[in-house]
Amino acid sequence: MPCRRRAPARPAPPRSRGAARHAERFARQEAGAGTYLLAWRDGVPVGHGQIRWDGCAAPEVRAEVGECPEFNGLDVRAGLRGQGIGTALIHAAEELTRERGGTVLGLGVGRDNPRAAALYARLGYTPVVAYTDHWSRTDADGRTHVYADACVFLVRTLETRTG
């Protein structure tokens, strides 16, 4: 599935559980700290992920790779997984990283997500450091839920494109 560039847009006010998360990613993009990628099929968003240009916030990761750009929050609609959408988003993130002069891209994967880990390995990402991803979300009732996931940070050295 090819990814195409679209002009940055301001998100609509949050209307769903994930809308606040999407709004945060758009805000990071507007601030220049990230690039939010969306995959579309027939005019409907089917996947997304964000390049964090300042890297992963986890101290364990920063100690190993510094401010290596991180592709974060990759997600594809459940019924559409395995159709190349996630791969296309990763390739788009790699190309944008190259365009900015980057030579490496990193991403984290939960230890409980072997399917994603297999995809990343197939694409050439190698493990660098284990870490705990701390994150939170606010539910529809305004309650904040805090999570800690066991993860592994992976990196890939990006080849230079010629031509």
Side-chain angles (χ1 to χ4, degrees):
M1 159 178 270
C3 292
R4 61 179 190 235
R5 292 180 189 246
R6 296 182 80 158
R10 285 194 123 87
R15 285 178 264 153
S16 68
R17 286 189 313 181
R21 181 178 64 229
H22 296 296
E24 288 172 13
R25 291 179 178 161
F26 276 111
R28 270 186 79 74
Q29 178 168 298
E30 286 184 339
T35 299
Y36 192 31
L37 303 176
L38 299 170
W40 298 82
R41 181 177 285 170
D42 299 324
V44 176
V46 295
H48 59 86
Q50 177 188 52
I51 307 168
R52 294 177 56 102
W53 297 115
D54 55 354
C56 180
E60 308 94 318
V61 174
R62 283 200 175 284
E64 289 293 322
V65 299
E67 292 186 2
C68 162
E70 175 194 25
F71 190 52
N72 175 281
L74 175 62
D75 191 29
V76 174
R77 285 186 181 213
L80 299 174
R81 293 179 183 149
Q83 297 181 27
I85 297 167
T87 299
L89 285 164
I90 292 168
H91 287 318
E94 292 170 347
E95 188 58 33
L96 288 169
T97 301
R98 279 188 207 91
E99 288 176 10
R100 289 177 63 119
T103 59
V104 67
L105 182 65
L107 49 80
V109 63
R111 291 185 182 206
D112 62 349
N113 194 348
R115 186 172 179 179
L119 167 64
Y120 304 149
R122 181 175 59 80
L123 295 175
Y125 286 82
T126 58
V128 174
V129 62
Y131 71 103
T132 302
D133 184 21
H134 298 276
W135 59 283
S136 64
R137 71 171 181 84
T138 303
D139 65 23
D141 296 325
R143 289 184 300 245
T144 299
H145 303 267
V146 178
Y147 302 91
D149 295 329
C151 296
V152 175
F153 197 78
L154 313 164
V155 297
R156 177 172 181 233
T157 300
L158 305 176
E159 64 281 350
T160 304
R161 298 272 192 228
T162 58

